[in-house]
Amino acid sequence: MIRRDRFDLLLFALLLGCVLVLGLLLLKGQAPTGSGARIDKALEQQIAYQARVNFLHNLYQPVEQLRQKGQLAAALLKLDELARKYPQEAHGEILRGEILLKRKAVKQAIDHFVRAVRLNGDYVDQASPLSRYPEIQGLVEAQLPVFRQRAKSNPQSQSLQNTLTGLYYLQSRLAGGCE
């Protein structure tokens, strides 16, 4: 049995990406016209989206493995390392939010969920392979009453107001609202 490490998986993802790009270049070279061009454009977008999803799953697989083993601190450290390489990547924010929620750091988890949804709305799209709709919906339903009460009893706290605003934002996006 051949043992694959992260480097092998990264090389495989890069090779797959190169093959997809080569295929796209070959398709573009045929210069289709009319409605065929629109179909090819849609196909290109779908292929690129699937490649991105696969890349994210491969990239964050070590974090998922650490999380499944219950090594949440190590998973957070791995996320920090990946965040330095990919600072605007929403998937890392979603994973960080899930881990912080598991560690009972609810306020920080909400902040990361909000940041992830602002970066990529696919996380609240039920049809997306990246969707975290049920998790985000459960978080909003459980925490909105709690933070409403906290903000009402402490109206001077800007931190509580920001968290409440974030929960309202998530609620709006879950309902189909856009930015």
Side-chain angles (χ1 to χ4, degrees), residues 143-153 164 167-168 171:
Q143 297 304 320
L144 193 55
V146 172
F147 279 93
R148 264 192 207 133
Q149 185 60 38
R150 286 184 189 172
K152 191 181 288 184
S153 65
L164 191 56
L167 284 166
Y168 284 133
Q171 184 182 45

Side-chain angles (χ1 to χ4, degrees), residues 30-144:
Q30 295 176 357
T33 59
S35 67
R38 286 189 297 271
I39 292 171
D40 286 347
K41 182 79 169 163
L43 181 62
E44 283 178 28
Q45 289 173 343
Q46 186 63 27
I47 289 171
Y49 183 73
Q50 288 300 322
R52 184 181 187 325
V53 169
N54 288 335
F55 175 74
L56 289 175
H57 285 299
N58 288 335
L59 182 65
Y60 288 98
Q61 183 180 15
V63 175
E64 291 289 355
Q65 290 172 343
L66 289 168
R67 215 170 92 170
Q68 289 171 355
K69 292 178 186 175
Q71 298 175 357
L72 301 180
L76 287 172
L77 288 173
K78 184 64 178 171
L79 279 172
D80 287 340
E81 177 185 321
L82 290 170
R84 283 190 292 279
K85 291 179 185 175
Y86 306 97
Q88 291 296 313
E89 182 49 56
H91 201 69
E93 295 292 332
I94 277 289
L95 293 175
R96 187 179 304 277
E98 290 174 348
I99 292 169
L100 289 170
L101 197 57
K102 206 173 231 182
R103 294 183 85 184
K104 307 289 188 229
V106 177
K107 184 186 171 320
Q108 292 85 357
I110 291 168
D111 294 341
H112 286 282
F113 277 110
V114 168
R115 208 170 304 143
V117 172
R118 284 190 195 279
L119 289 170
N120 187 347
D122 288 351
Y123 295 104
V124 290
D125 178 4
Q126 293 183 45
S128 170
L130 297 174
S131 179
R132 294 295 202 278
Y133 189 96
E135 293 89 344
I136 295 172
Q137 184 178 34
L139 174 69
V140 169
E141 288 174 357
Q143 297 304 320
L144 193 55

Side-chain angles (χ1 to χ4, degrees), residues 6-17:
R6 281 183 262 159
F7 183 72
D8 291 334
L9 293 173
L10 181 62
L11 285 178
F12 178 75
L14 290 173
L15 180 62
L16 179 64

